[in-house]
């Protein structure tokens, strides 16, 4: 994916865009393989340091990175 | 009578009578030769007769680029290989807007839920095998050096993290001896590793006091000698590993070089410069020359009168304060800022961009500058080691017009057995720890955990320290702010540990060299190598605890 609008710096945005696009495609194909009538609506990845949320669409992806406040 | 020409044989027989002598006399005649006419005749008569092709008329119509600009180099190590993406994208803004309106609610709902969620409290996943204990993997030594009672003065890991090198010399009672010393390297990943036999031993004519491997080329290693010289060895060369040396010129240090560091060169990406630090007060930067020499590129000198004073520091007889520099550490986020520790017991924040010339007496080929900007509150003894923290956060919030940087923290340790944690913005230390009653020779931040550092301690007048028996102290701010999390006993008896280095590539390994001439490679437990989830914020909290 190519970043269109971002609040992070260039290199990080490009990295996130590329990697998460591939992961979203893989997640979507996993969901549809299990049940062809189903489709991916939202993807959340939780890591030690933060949580990454991806809202997918036909042409665009919205990626949000949040520091959970614990 | 003409004299017969010399070189001609005299007539063997009796001389002819005088009248006949005029007729028959010796003489030489030049040989007669006939010049060759063939070659010259041919060339003499050569001329252009006619041309088969019509003469081409050319005229310069246009040039593709009349200004040239360096676009890129194929083999350059460039950090930002990313092109500017905003020029290439053609975006349909209406469909983007409708997409954003569609997903906006869902995303905001999730963000709010997350913020209030307690679902993952205390949930931790173990991806690697937990290693509970710290054990000593190897004890490396060079028996010949140990027989001469040499001590390990410095250790260094190479760029790939598999080779450890140590230098032998003498740290106590050094005089201008021409004692030979050694630099030994061991490759820990090799199968047939013999701890008593180094893979490479380099004989050095003088004691090596500081050692540093090149940060990206795994075979280059630089050493600073007791005589003030610097030498660079290439461990991949079998016959003579020396590739560059400074020699003893008017520019070299007049005191032992205690630390060498490689600096990335701003102009040539893949070349580096060497920086050396010595107790004569000079900090010199060297570049490589063609003939195997190291030439002085720029330099700094610390002179007592030019040290900036802070009004909050105690009264100090500044004129007598020694400014022999013993250690140096560069800041990890601003490559021009560095911290030095001096024999007078205080640490200084300096900058390579300083422009004031130093009041240094001795003339050298390059004018020296005074780099000091800020003096921090002193220890009660010489500082032996400083180390800047490799952890920092990016700029937060540029919105209100002010960019807030995180302060850069650094540690300093010295003969008073204390470790001071300083922030570069204020002169008083944030935390001051009495780690040991003995001298502390070296302190290093851990490269993976922001709250952990290690300190090497040793000799000194120690009456009775019953609880700090070890020689390598590992400190963890998360566990305790007063005493070490773990103390490792390096050598039997009271032999001090002089140097230690973390392995950046294999984050579990820590190498420490001691006065018995052995280097111990410790494998740390996973407590010390895995970063917890909130360590950075804890570090921030610690750093802002004492702020004006």
């Amino acid at each position: 994916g190519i970043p269109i609008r971002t609040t992070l710096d260039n290199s990080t945005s490009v990295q996130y865009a590329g990697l998460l696009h591939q992961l979203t495609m893989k997640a979507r194909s996993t969901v549809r393989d299990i049940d062809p009538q189903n489709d991916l609506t939202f993807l959340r990845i939780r890591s030690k340091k933060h949580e990454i949320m991806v809202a997918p669409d036909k042409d665009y992806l919205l990626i949000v990175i949040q520091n959970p406040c614990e | 009578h003409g004299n017969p020409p010399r070189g001609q044989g005299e007539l063997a027989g009796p001389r002819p009578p005088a009248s006949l002598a005029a007729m028959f006399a010796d003489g030489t005649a030049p040989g007669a030769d006939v010049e060759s006419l063939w070659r010259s005749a041919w060339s003499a008569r050569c001329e252009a007769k006619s041309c088969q092709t019509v003469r081409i008329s050319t005229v310069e119509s246009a040039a593709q680029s009349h200004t040239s600009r360096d676009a890129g180099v194929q083999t350059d190590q460039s950090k930002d290989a990313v092109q500017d993406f905003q020029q290439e994208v053609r975006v349909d803004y209406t469909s983007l807007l409708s997409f954003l309106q569609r997903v906006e609610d869902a995303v905001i709902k999730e963000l709010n839920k997350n913020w209030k969620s307690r679902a993952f409290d205390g949930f931790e996943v173990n991806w690697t095998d937990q290693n509970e204990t710290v054990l000593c993997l190897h004890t490396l030594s060079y028996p010949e050096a140990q027989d001469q009672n040499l001590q390990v003065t410095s250790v260094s890991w190479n760029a790939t993290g598999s080779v450890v090198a140590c230098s032998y010399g003498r740290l106590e009672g050094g005089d201008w001896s021409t004692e030979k010393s050694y630099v030994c390297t061991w490759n820990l990943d090799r199968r047939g590793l013999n701890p008593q036999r180094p893979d490479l031993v380099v004989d050095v004519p003088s004691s090596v006091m500081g050692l540093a491997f090149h940060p990206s080329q795994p075979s280059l290693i630089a050493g600073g000698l007791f005589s003030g010289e610097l030498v660079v060895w290439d461990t991949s060369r079998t016959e003579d590993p020396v590739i560059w040396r400074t020699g003893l010129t008017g520019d070299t240090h007049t005191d032992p070089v205690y630390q060498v560091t490689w600096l990335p060169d701003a102009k040539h990406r893949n070349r580096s410069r060497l920086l050396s630090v010595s107790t004569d007060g000079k900090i010199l930067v060297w570049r490589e020359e063609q003939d195997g020499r190291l030439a002085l590129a720029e330099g700094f000198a610390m002179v007592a009168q030019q040290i900036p004073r802070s009004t909050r520091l105690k009264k100090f007889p500044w004129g007598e304060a020694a400014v022999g520099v013993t250690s140096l550490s560069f800041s990890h986020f601003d490559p021009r800022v560095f911290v030095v520790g001096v024999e007078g017991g205080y640490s200084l924040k300096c900058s390579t961009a300083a422009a004031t010339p130093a009041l240094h007496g001795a003339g050298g080929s390059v004018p020296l500058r005074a780099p000091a900007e800020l003096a921090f509150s002193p220890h009660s003894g010489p500082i032996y080691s400083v180390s800047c923290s490799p952890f920092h956060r990016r700029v937060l919030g540029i919105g209100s017009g002010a960019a807030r940087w995180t302060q850069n923290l650094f540690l300093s340790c010295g003969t008073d057995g204390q470790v001071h944690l300083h922030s570069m913005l204020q002169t008083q230390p944030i935390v001051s720890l009495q780690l040991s009653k003995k001298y502390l020779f070296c302190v290093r931040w851990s490269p993976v955990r922001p709250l952990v550092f290690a300190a090497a301690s040793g000799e000194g007048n120690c009456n009775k320290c019953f609880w700090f028996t070890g020689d390598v102290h590992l400190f963890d701010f998360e566990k305790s702010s007063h005493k070490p999390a773990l103390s490792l006993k390096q050598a039997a008896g009271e032999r001090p540990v002089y140097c230690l280095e973390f392995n950046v590539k294999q984050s579990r390994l820590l190498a420490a060299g001691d006065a018995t001439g052995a280097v111990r490679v410790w494998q740390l437990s996973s407590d010390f190598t895995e970063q917890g989830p909130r360590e950075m914020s804890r570090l921030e909290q610690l750093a802002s605890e004492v702020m004006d």
Side-chain angles (χ1 to χ4, degrees):
Chain A
I2 306 170
I4 302 174
R5 286 279 181 274
T6 174
T7 58
L8 303 169
D9 54 291
N10 276 10
S11 52
T12 317
S13 305
V14 169
Q15 209 181 11
Y16 268 110
L19 295 170
L20 285 171
H21 179 70
Q22 295 174 26
L23 186 62
T24 311
M25 290 299 118
K26 186 77 177 169
R28 182 167 187 246
S29 64
T30 307
V31 169
R32 288 171 66 102
D33 280 350
I34 295 174
D35 179 5
Q37 305 297 318
N38 207 350
D39 205 345
L40 180 71
T41 54
F42 204 82
L43 183 63
R44 284 163 69 156
I45 304 171
R46 194 178 183 94
S47 70
K48 263 202 287 193
K49 297 186 188 174
H50 29 240
E51 174 144 352
I52 305 171
M53 278 170 277
V54 181
D57 190 70
K58 187 163 68 85
D59 304 315
Y60 307 99
L61 280 181
L62 177 68
I63 302 172
V64 182
I65 302 155
Q66 180 187 29
N67 271 333
C69 182
E70 311 185 54
Chain B
H1 300 218
N3 283 338
R6 293 195 194 275
Q8 300 294 316
E10 298 278 336
L11 285 180
R15 276 189 90 201
S19 57
L20 280 177
M23 269 185 1
F24 297 108
D26 290 311
T28 53
D33 49 7
V34 181
E35 303 247 5
S36 157
L37 288 176
W38 176 67
R39 285 253 173 97
S40 53
W42 275 82
S43 59
R45 277 186 307 175
C46 196
E47 62 189 6
K49 177 88 168 133
S50 66
C51 216
Q52 223 178 4
T53 61
V54 178
R55 199 194 176 92
I56 304 170
S57 60
T58 61
V59 69
E60 204 167 313
S61 73
Q64 227 177 359
S65 64
H66 53 271
T67 55
S68 68
R69 188 171 52 91
D70 219 0
V73 177
Q74 220 177 6
T75 58
D76 213 345
Q77 299 176 18
S78 60
K79 280 189 222 159
D80 41 359
V82 173
Q83 309 273 341
D84 197 346
F85 57 82
Q86 280 165 351
Q87 295 165 355
E88 299 170 11
V89 165
R90 280 177 286 269
V91 180
D92 180 6
Y93 284 102
T94 45
S95 67
L96 179 63
L97 180 63
S98 56
F99 160 67
L100 283 175
Q101 284 169 339
R102 257 178 292 142
V103 294
E104 178 188 356
D105 287 337
V107 174
I108 291 190
K109 200 169 60 151
E110 295 297 326
L111 284 173
N112 281 333
K113 268 202 296 190
N114 246 357
W115 177 55
K116 299 183 199 122
S117 156
R118 308 187 60 83
F120 287 99
D121 279 356
F123 177 70
E124 280 179 21
V125 174
N126 294 334
W127 279 101
T128 54
D129 289 333
Q130 294 294 313
N131 200 336
E132 289 306 319
T133 54
V134 174
L135 37 101
C136 174
L137 278 186
H138 309 278
T139 305
L140 310 165
S141 59
Y142 185 43
E144 264 195 49
Q146 284 182 316
D147 292 338
Q148 298 174 23
N149 285 328
L150 289 178
Q151 302 151 348
V152 176
T153 52
S154 182
V155 284
S156 177
W157 293 94
N158 79 339
T160 60
S162 49
V163 176
V164 62
C166 78
S167 62
Y168 283 98
R170 237 179 254 291
L171 270 186
E172 84 233 337
D175 51 351
W176 281 103
S177 59
T178 48
E179 183 168 26
K180 238 169 45 116
S181 70
Y182 308 97
V183 171
C184 304
T185 70
W186 286 266
N187 187 335
L188 298 179
D189 291 341
R190 232 184 238 187
R191 226 175 281 166
L193 171 70
N194 181 349
Q196 309 293 322
R197 249 178 30 106
D199 294 330
L200 176 70
V201 178
V202 179
D203 288 327
V204 188
S206 154
S207 274
V208 180
M209 308 306 283
L211 206 61
F213 261 110
H214 192 280
S216 51
Q217 293 183 36
S219 62
L220 291 185
I221 179 167
L225 305 186
F226 194 82
S227 54
E229 287 181 69
L230 293 182
V231 189
V232 179
W233 296 280
D234 185 348
T235 55
S236 57
R237 286 175 28 157
T238 42
E239 340 154 319
D240 180 25
V242 177
I243 42 172
W244 293 306
R245 56 186 316 147
T246 52
L248 281 172
T249 64
D251 289 333
T252 45
H253 291 283
T254 48
D255 269 6
V257 175
Y258 279 107
Q259 188 170 336
V260 286
T261 320
W262 290 92
L263 289 185
D265 198 344
K267 290 179 231 130
H268 313 266
R269 284 276 180 81
N270 43 357
R271 290 219 295 194
S272 301
R273 295 186 170 183
L274 259 186
L275 180 132
S276 62
V277 155
S278 158
T279 44
D280 63 358
K282 292 195 278 193
I283 302 167
L284 301 175
V285 180
W286 306 87
R287 63 158 188 275
E288 318 144 4
E289 295 279 315
Q290 305 293 46
D291 51 354
R293 247 179 358 109
L294 284 173
L296 188 57
E298 48 181 341
F300 306 95
M302 315 288 285
V303 180
Q305 293 85 356
Q306 289 179 307
I307 308 285
R309 305 193 196 184
S310 160
T311 48
R312 286 195 223 139
L313 292 181
K314 300 194 282 268
K315 271 289 180 192
F316 229 103
W318 287 97
E320 293 102 58
V323 278
V325 183
T326 51
S327 60
L328 178 145
S329 174
F330 267 86
S331 155
H332 288 258
F333 71 92
D334 186 351
R336 294 167 313 169
V337 171
F338 60 96
V339 177
V340 298
V342 298
E343 278 179 330
Y346 44 92
S347 38
L348 296 161
K349 174 178 160 196
C350 309
S351 164
T352 56
T356 40
L359 307 167
H360 197 89
S365 59
V366 173
L368 303 177
R369 295 176 277 162
E373 286 179 352
L374 180 65
F376 297 98
S377 99
H379 286 251
S380 34
I383 293 191
Y384 277 142
S385 179
V386 289
S387 173
C388 281
S389 169
F391 288 94
H392 66 282
R393 250 201 325 209
R394 275 174 251 144
V395 180
L396 323 163
I398 318 191
S400 55
R404 188 161 79 90
W405 294 93
T406 246
Q407 317 92 321
N408 203 346
L409 305 171
F410 71 91
L411 293 166
S412 61
C413 76
T415 56
D416 56 353
Q418 285 187 354
V419 172
H420 286 195
L421 172 67
H422 280 277
S423 150
M424 286 213 194
L425 298 178
Q426 58 178 38
T427 52
Q428 295 298 323
I430 298 176
V431 180
S432 178
L433 303 157
Q434 181 78 37
L435 266 194
S436 150
K437 296 248 172 38
K438 314 182 197 173
Y439 297 167
L440 289 177
F441 286 101
C442 187
V443 68
R444 291 278 180 263
W445 285 102
S446 159
V448 284
R449 283 205 52 198
L451 295 173
V452 169
F453 67 86
S457 74
E459 64 197 359
N461 296 326
C462 164
N463 300 334
K464 196 164 191 162
C465 31
F466 38 85
W467 70 133
F468 301 145
T469 51
D471 290 328
V472 175
H473 302 288
L474 283 164
F475 208 91
D476 187 351
F477 279 112
E478 188 143 35
K479 294 204 180 133
S480 153
S481 315
H482 304 290
K483 59 185 190 62
L486 187 60
S487 298
L488 304 167
K489 189 118 182 71
Q490 166 108 349
E494 293 285 311
R495 304 310 302 274
V497 177
Y498 285 132
C499 48
L500 53 83
E501 285 291 339
F502 281 95
N503 187 340
V504 180
K505 296 283 180 194
Q506 299 185 29
S507 50
R508 284 220 172 134
L509 301 181
L510 170 68
D514 62 21
T516 61
V519 173
R520 285 214 176 184
V521 178
W522 298 92
Q523 185 183 51
L524 301 174
S525 59
S526 18
D527 303 353
F528 290 109
T529 51
E530 285 180 5
Q531 208 180 38
R534 284 174 297 288
E535 279 202 49
M536 282 303 303
S537 49
R538 175 87 181 88
L539 188 67
E540 290 293 306
Q541 200 185 349
L542 188 66
S544 41
E545 257 166 27
V546 183
M547 274 288 279
D548 302 348

